[in-house]
């Protein structure tokens, strides 16, 4: 019931009465405690990794933590207000939201070289990795 109500009314809060909204806000209804606490634990792991290595994890250095970071970045790119202020502070401390421009510039050059060579943008068949990069760049 809670999951369905959260999902259905998350972006339609104006459909609930002010009294119902106040009650739901008081009990912390809009925040899923399990997912928040799990994410907070992983965010702390990201911070420890960053403190130890001076950079964020890569697929080679810590695949699990890298994938968590990638998923977190994609999920909350435009919804940072859904994270706790503490988690946001930690992520801002390690420049989590900042994309490394040298890596992006390199991939954009690869995209241009592909286009120059083939006369079209890459597809999943022709160059899946570059195609996904281009799709993510658009979004």
């Amino acid at each position: 019931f809670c999951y369905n109500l959260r999902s259905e009314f998350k972006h339609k809060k104006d459909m609930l009465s002010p009294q119902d909204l106040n009650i739901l806000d008081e009990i912390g209804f809009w925040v899923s405690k399990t997912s928040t606490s799990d994410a907070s634990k992983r965010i702390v792991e990201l911070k420890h990794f960053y403190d130890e290595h001076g950079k964020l994890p890569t697929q080679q250095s810590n695949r699990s933590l890298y994938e968590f970071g990638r998923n977190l970045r994609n999920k909350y790119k435009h919804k940072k207000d859904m994270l706790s202020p503490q988690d946001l502070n930690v992520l801002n401390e390690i420049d989590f939201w900042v994309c490394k421009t040298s890596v992006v510039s390199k991939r954009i050059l690869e995209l241009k070289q592909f286009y120059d060579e083939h006369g079209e943008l890459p597809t999943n068949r022709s160059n899946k990795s570059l195609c996904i990069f281009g799709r993510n760049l658009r979004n």
Side-chain angles (χ1 to χ4, degrees), residues 107 111 121-138:
R107 294 292 283 171
L111 199 56
L121 293 172
T123 63
N124 278 333
R125 272 197 171 141
S126 62
N127 188 326
K128 186 174 183 173
S129 170
L130 206 51
C131 177
I132 291 170
F133 168 76
R135 189 177 319 131
N136 290 339
L137 196 59
R138 273 188 218 101

Side-chain angles (χ1 to χ4, degrees), residues 33-88:
K33 301 295 182 204
T34 55
S35 64
T36 302
S37 64
D38 290 345
S40 293
K41 289 176 191 170
R42 296 292 286 183
I43 288 169
V44 169
E45 287 180 46
L46 271 174
K47 171 81 167 108
H48 289 306
F49 187 95
Y50 184 86
D51 289 343
E52 185 177 323
H53 301 282
K55 61 182 182 178
L56 294 171
T58 63
Q59 283 184 311
Q60 292 75 28
S61 62
N62 188 327
R63 185 180 184 100
S64 171
L65 204 51
Y66 166 81
E67 287 179 5
F68 166 76
R70 184 185 67 196
N71 292 336
L72 184 72
R73 197 175 283 115
N74 289 335
K75 185 175 183 179
Y76 294 106
K77 184 179 357 183
H78 303 294
K79 304 177 202 169
K80 293 183 181 96
D81 59 326
M82 294 178 72
L83 293 168
S84 75
Q86 298 85 354
D87 290 343
L88 276 174

Side-chain angles (χ1 to χ4, degrees), residues 8-16:
E8 188 174 337
F9 289 103
K10 186 186 327 184
H11 302 292
K12 304 176 193 172
K13 292 181 183 176
D14 58 327
M15 294 176 71
L16 297 171

Side-chain angles (χ1 to χ4, degrees), residues 73-116:
R73 197 175 283 115
N74 289 335
K75 185 175 183 179
Y76 294 106
K77 184 179 357 183
H78 303 294
K79 304 177 202 169
K80 293 183 181 96
D81 59 326
M82 294 178 72
L83 293 168
S84 75
Q86 298 85 354
D87 290 343
L88 276 174
N89 287 339
V90 170
L91 293 170
N92 289 333
E93 280 179 33
I94 62 174
D95 292 330
F96 180 77
W97 305 107
V98 177
C99 187
K100 303 301 181 212
T101 55
S102 62
V103 173
V104 173
S105 295
K106 180 181 174 226
R107 294 292 283 171
I108 289 172
L109 284 175
E110 288 177 37
L111 199 56
K112 175 152 177 24
Q113 288 170 343
F114 186 94
Y115 183 83
D116 289 346

